[in-house]
Amino acid sequence: MEPPSVDDYLRLRKESGLSARTREEAENGISGAWSSASVIHVESGETAGMGRVLSDGGWYFHVIDMAVLPHHQRKGIGDAILTALLDHIHAQSPNAYVNLLADPPGRRLYERHGFTESAPASVGMRRV
C-alpha cells in the first residue's frame, strides 16, 4: 500500500498508455492521494503496476491511475491492486460510494470487481 516513486509513476503512465503528466503534477498528485498501491516485480525490482484513490475520507471514493506495464499484464496484477484499494476503502467506510472512469482496456477488470455503468442515471463529465 505504497505509492510508486515519481519516476515510476511517470513511466507507468507512459508505458501503459495513460496520458503523460509533468514531474510537478506527479509529485503533487502522488502526495495528494487518499490511498495508493503499487506492485514490485520481485525478480527485476521493477515497479510493474499502480493504482490510487482520491477521497473525502468519509463516503466518497474515486479510483484513479490504474496502470500495469504491458509486459506484466494478464498476470493478476491489476486485480491485486484494485482488490487492495477496495479492501482499504471498505475498512474505512463499509457503505462507501466508489466510482471511476473506465477506459476500454480496463472495463473487464472493473466489471469483475462489481463496477457497472452509471448511465443513463448519471454520466461522467469533464473539463479540460
Side-chain angles (χ1 to χ4, degrees):
M1 297 304 295
E2 297 286 331
S5 69
V6 171
D7 288 336
D8 285 338
Y9 176 86
L10 293 169
R11 184 177 54 81
L12 280 162
R13 286 192 62 87
K14 180 180 179 182
E15 292 182 21
S16 68
L18 298 179
S19 60
R21 306 292 2 139
T22 67
R23 177 165 289 279
E24 182 179 12
E25 289 170 327
E27 290 168 352
N28 292 335
I30 289 170
S31 65
W34 177 82
S35 183
S36 299
S38 57
V39 170
I40 308 298
H41 183 251
V42 174
E43 294 167 0
S44 67
E46 161 180 70
T47 301
M50 67 174 179
R52 299 189 310 133
V53 175
L54 301 178
S55 177
D56 63 7
W59 74 278
Y60 189 79
F61 299 82
H62 184 69
V63 177
I64 61 169
D65 285 341
M66 288 291 299
V68 176
L69 293 174
H71 59 281
H72 287 294
Q73 292 176 1
R74 307 256 187 273
K75 298 177 183 177
I77 293 171
D79 276 310
I81 292 168
L82 188 55
T83 295
L85 293 172
L86 294 174
D87 286 351
H88 189 199
I89 291 168
H90 183 74
Q92 175 74 26
S93 179
N95 297 312
Y97 177 81
V98 184
N99 70 5
L100 53 80
L101 294 172
D103 293 329
R107 289 182 184 162
R108 288 190 333 211
L109 167 67
Y110 304 133
E111 289 169 352
R112 283 196 306 271
H113 287 267
F115 288 89
T116 59
E117 290 188 31
S118 60
S122 61
V123 294
M125 299 180 78
R126 68 180 183 164
R127 179 176 172 222
V128 291

